[in-house]
Amino acid sequence: MNREKTPNEMTLGERLQAPTPKFFKKLRTVGLILVAAGGTIVASPVALPAAIVTVAGYLIVAGSVATAVSQAAVDGGENKSKNQQN
């Protein structure tokens, strides 16, 4: 019997290669934008106040976490399995 694995049964590699829901694709893009903005501020050649550089560091961390979580999100198998039973 060949059945799809539910998200709870997937390995990390399978989760990362599985299709990502539309909302999480948008969230991943926002995370990448935050990382890029924070990296640009941190790497700027102009002397900036410490508070701005600190906030840029937080943007990098928040964007990285949002991107990683969004990439690992997968469509739940509940709807697919219900449709197959009918």
Side-chain angles (χ1 to χ4, degrees):
M1 186 166 140
N2 240 350
R3 67 177 185 90
E4 277 190 40
K5 291 183 178 181
T6 63
N8 291 335
E9 297 171 335
M10 292 178 155
T11 65
L12 181 61
E14 291 171 337
R15 288 184 74 92
L16 294 176
Q17 293 177 352
T20 304
K22 186 177 180 180
F23 170 76
F24 287 102
K25 286 182 181 179
K26 290 180 182 180
L27 186 62
R28 181 180 59 199
T29 303
V30 169
L32 290 172
I33 291 169
L34 288 175
V35 170
T40 302
I41 293 170
V42 168
S44 70
V46 180
L48 296 171
I52 293 176
V53 175
T54 302
V55 169
Y58 289 137
L59 285 176
I60 293 170
V61 171
S64 299
V65 170
T67 301
V69 169
S70 297
Q71 184 62 42
V74 294
D75 282 329
E78 298 89 27
N79 293 337
K80 292 178 184 175
S81 62
K82 286 181 184 176
N83 290 338
Q84 290 175 353
Q85 290 176 355
N86 292 335

